[in-house]
Amino acid sequence: MAAGRVNPQFRLEDQGITGLGEVHYNLIEPALIEAALKKGEGRLGQGGTFLVSTGKFTGRSPKDKHVVKTDSVADSIWWDNNAPMTPAAFDALYDDMIAHMQGREYYVQDLVAGADPTHSINMRMVTELAWHGLFIRHMLRRPERAELDAFTADFTVINCPSFKADPDRHGCRSETVIALNFDRKLILIANTEYAGENKKSVFSLLNYMLPEKGIMPMHCSANHAKGNPVDTAVFFGLSGTGKTTLSADPNRTLIGDDEHGWSDRGTFNFEGGCYAKTIHLDPEAEPEIYATTQMFGTVIENMVYDEETLDLDFADDSLTANMRCAYPMHYISNASENALGGHPKNVIMLTCDSFGVLPPIARLTPAQAMYHFLSGFTAKVAGTERGVTEPQPTFSTCFGAPFMPRRPEVYGNLLREKIAKHGTTCWLVNTGWTGGAYGVGSRMPIKATRALLTAALDGSLNEVEFRKDPNFGFDVPVDVPDVPEVLLDPRRTWESGDAYDAQAAKLVKMFADNFEQYLPYIDEDVRAAAIG
């Protein structure tokens, strides 16, 4: 199998990684699929997709993430959220992993994280599985072939699913480990085949590096008005809240679906592809995403399919509810060519409220925006993390706590400063339950959510009448065209108003209890928003 291009001065041997078997550099999609099929890593699906199962690891393993505690980062890492690892333990982990890799076949992809060349970083991804090379080739940004001759990595990720860590020797929690060492510019991933660990390790890296440059890293999707990048919107939210679905608006240009930066120049995508959930994917509601599930090279992860026809079953979650497809950005017809946008005109904070309390949309003041951003309230959707089988209420600060190396206030203050500087309007959008809590009510109709978002983005929502929410103090529209009026007042959707009031009081207390941890770090106006 022919190797792709690589800087001859930057092979793995030049990084001190020696003794491996055959190493394939920068193979393109057909070659990676050939290799994966030859090794029995999956099956060729309809349209040339690649069908794969990741075994028992069908979601991220956030409790197994570690940051190496060196002097250079000891005072800037949020250690309450990031498990420390000693330099000696990391060195042992690295040595043992390299020893395990001896004589084995590996795949190297030299890629870029960040569409803005001023702030991008070069990533070398070393993967044991050929299909992981295909996945990350979709997810990060591919240099031109000629540019690979001069490529030098800023950081290297080594992903070896067949290696099992030793908690006693390596200072980790289990046999699974994701360890980030800023001094050695290395990330090690072991004992999990879940492909999302590859991209989220890079996101965690950027989340640490970019704030030092005054750039806000965001776990969000983003789009802009067609032909008008100045009219940019970003959509914060955890997996399963609708980031990918709601940003893929055919009437707007897609910048990206998951991870972005907000610099003094505007918005830029970190990635070059999309990693979309496919459970109950609807060809009518989401035709562009649905179409990618039959396009060449798309990675179909953990989906049940017919053994003979290879037809995908979008309803069968027996493997996981976190079934996904990964594809390059250009598979979406309205995707931006340069993945750049202006300063966000609107910021949308998506929450999946399993309590059935929050309205479908609310307008936030800057102080309320910081409050809800730091709170990061949502429900963990089944399958996104190991062990989550039904929606669980959670507070994930900055709508991405598992990927935040720094304290939340660092990101909260950056967001607040940029909102104030650029006059951004902030909205809280509930894509969760209405008419009752999970198990009683129903999911918010996506048609209503889209109508409300359209009105927010085109400015018409600012012209309607608003009421003050008695529980959280934010503004809620009273009447919006194409949206049932009853939906805008969640109390009216419940059979019992008293039951709603009790549920709302419970949720308000949960917010208050959670936010106490931030009170010493915030200004008076945000504290006032917290108190109500």
Side-chain angles (χ1 to χ4, degrees):
M1 186 182 300
R5 299 180 70 158
V6 63
N7 178 353
Q9 301 303 314
F10 196 60
R11 292 187 175 273
L12 289 181
E13 292 86 347
D14 298 292
Q15 295 180 259
I17 303 175
T18 59
L20 306 190
E22 190 171 7
V23 178
H24 305 277
Y25 292 89
N26 298 312
L27 298 183
I28 62 173
E29 292 81 352
L32 287 166
I33 292 174
E34 279 185 339
L37 290 171
K38 182 178 179 181
K39 295 173 70 177
E41 294 177 1
R43 291 188 64 181
L44 194 67
Q46 292 185 9
T49 58
F50 189 73
L51 310 175
V52 66
S53 168
T54 61
K56 69 176 182 178
F57 291 89
T58 58
R60 293 179 288 100
S61 300
K63 294 180 181 179
D64 293 308
K65 288 185 62 176
H66 296 264
V67 175
V68 178
K69 193 170 186 177
T70 59
D71 291 343
S72 64
V73 303
D75 295 332
S76 52
I77 296 293
W78 182 23
W79 294 113
D80 290 343
N81 188 59
N82 294 271
M85 176 180 284
T86 66
F90 182 89
D91 291 346
L93 175 64
Y94 175 81
D95 290 343
D96 291 349
M97 185 179 288
I98 296 302
H100 172 85
M101 293 166 63
Q102 298 296 289
R104 298 172 185 254
E105 195 171 17
Y106 281 85
Y107 302 84
V108 175
Q109 288 288 318
D110 292 326
L111 302 164
V112 175
D116 185 340
T118 307
H119 307 301
S120 63
I121 61 172
N122 289 347
M123 298 297 308
R124 165 157 281 192
M125 310 296 296
V126 183
T127 63
E128 179 179 27
L129 298 175
W131 80 264
H132 273 193
L134 175 65
F135 171 88
I136 203 63
R137 185 172 171 82
H138 288 336
M139 298 314 304
L140 295 184
R141 304 185 66 80
R142 297 179 292 278
E144 296 295 331
R145 300 294 286 174
E147 294 174 345
L148 292 172
D149 291 335
F151 185 95
T152 301
D154 298 311
F155 273 78
T156 297
V157 176
I158 302 176
N159 190 331
C160 186
S162 66
F163 179 79
K164 296 182 183 297
D166 180 343
D168 292 333
R169 176 171 167 77
H170 302 136
C172 50
R173 189 186 71 96
S174 73
E175 293 179 335
T176 301
V177 65
I178 302 97
L180 197 166
N181 189 322
F182 286 99
D183 284 11
R184 293 191 61 175
K185 300 185 182 303
L186 271 172
I187 301 174
L188 304 179
I189 304 173
N191 194 46
T192 171
E193 294 186 22
Y194 181 63
E197 299 288 12
N198 292 287
K199 77 183 221 96
K200 290 305 184 186
S201 67
V202 178
F203 185 40
S204 297
L205 174 63
L206 290 168
N207 279 341
Y208 181 81
M209 297 175 66
L210 293 182
E212 291 183 338
K213 303 169 71 174
I215 299 169
M216 174 67 188
M218 303 179 291
H219 186 211
C220 71
S221 56
N223 62 27
H224 66 72
K226 286 188 175 180
N228 184 15
V230 173
D231 186 0
T232 292
V234 299
F235 301 76
F236 285 104
L238 294 181
S239 297
T241 56
K243 290 196 317 298
T244 299
T245 298
L246 295 172
S247 59
D249 184 339
N251 297 312
R252 294 175 64 87
T253 297
L254 179 67
I255 301 172
D257 84 322
D258 198 34
E259 300 163 3
H260 295 79
W262 185 355
S263 72
D264 289 341
R265 294 156 53 121
T267 309
F268 63 98
N269 192 357
F270 290 165
E271 301 183 301
C274 299
Y275 190 33
K277 289 175 72 74
T278 54
I279 187 168
H280 303 308
L281 191 62
D282 189 331
E284 294 186 6
E286 301 155 289
E288 295 247 40
I289 299 174
Y290 187 89
T292 68
T293 62
Q294 294 191 26
M295 291 185 176
F296 179 79
T298 293
V299 174
I300 306 293
E301 189 181 59
N302 294 321
M303 287 193 70
V304 175
Y305 56 87
D306 186 283
E307 290 291 334
E308 293 185 9
T309 66
L310 302 177
D311 287 335
L312 300 173
D313 190 332
F314 293 87
D316 190 337
D317 62 356
S318 57
L319 292 178
T320 177
N322 194 36
M323 57 182 77
R324 291 179 179 265
C325 62
Y327 51 89
M329 189 69 66
H330 66 262
Y331 278 9
I332 302 298
S333 63
N334 65 325
S336 167
E337 292 184 4
N338 60 14
L340 301 174
H343 297 290
K345 184 177 178 181
N346 289 278
V347 165
I348 314 296
M349 297 183 187
L350 299 168
T351 180
C352 178
D353 173 22
S354 60
F355 283 82
V357 169
L358 296 175
I361 196 167
R363 186 173 60 191
L364 308 177
T365 66
Q368 289 170 340
M370 185 171 178
Y371 172 71
H372 284 278
F373 182 69
L374 289 177
S375 296
F377 170 71
T378 191
K380 288 181 181 177
V381 179
T384 302
E385 292 182 10
R386 297 183 65 216
V388 178
T389 58
E390 63 180 41
Q392 296 180 0
T394 188
F395 291 89
S396 183
T397 189
C398 308
F399 295 99
F403 325 116
M404 299 298 171
R406 297 179 182 271
R407 278 205 58 87
E409 302 82 31
V410 173
Y411 308 104
N413 284 322
L414 268 173
L415 180 67
R416 186 182 178 194
E417 290 166 7
K418 290 184 179 297
I419 286 172
K421 182 176 180 180
H422 301 289
T424 304
T425 303
C426 295
W427 307 89
L428 183 69
V429 172
N430 175 23
T431 61
W433 274 259
T434 184
Y438 170 77
V440 176
S442 57
R443 284 299 293 264
M444 195 71 66
I446 190 170
K447 183 178 179 180
T449 301
R450 286 194 183 280
L452 289 166
L453 280 175
T454 297
L457 298 183
D458 67 20
S460 61
L461 191 56
N462 283 313
E463 306 304 318
V464 306
E465 179 186 355
F466 284 80
R467 65 176 176 85
K468 191 72 68 176
D469 183 82
N471 299 304
F472 291 94
F474 42 50
D475 292 335
V476 181
V478 174
D479 188 15
V480 179
D482 301 321
V483 178
E485 184 182 344
V486 65
L487 273 182
L488 297 170
D489 186 352
R491 189 176 190 274
R492 291 172 55 197
T493 67
W494 283 52
E495 288 189 8
S496 167
D498 290 341
Y500 171 85
D501 292 340
Q503 187 83 318
K506 178 180 177 181
L507 184 59
V508 168
K509 186 177 187 305
M510 288 180 65
F511 264 86
D513 291 346
N514 171 74
F515 206 79
E516 284 186 359
Q517 62 185 304
Y518 306 120
L519 292 177
Y521 305 97
I522 59 175
D523 296 338
E524 288 299 324
D525 55 346
V526 181
R527 187 176 286 110
I531 296 172

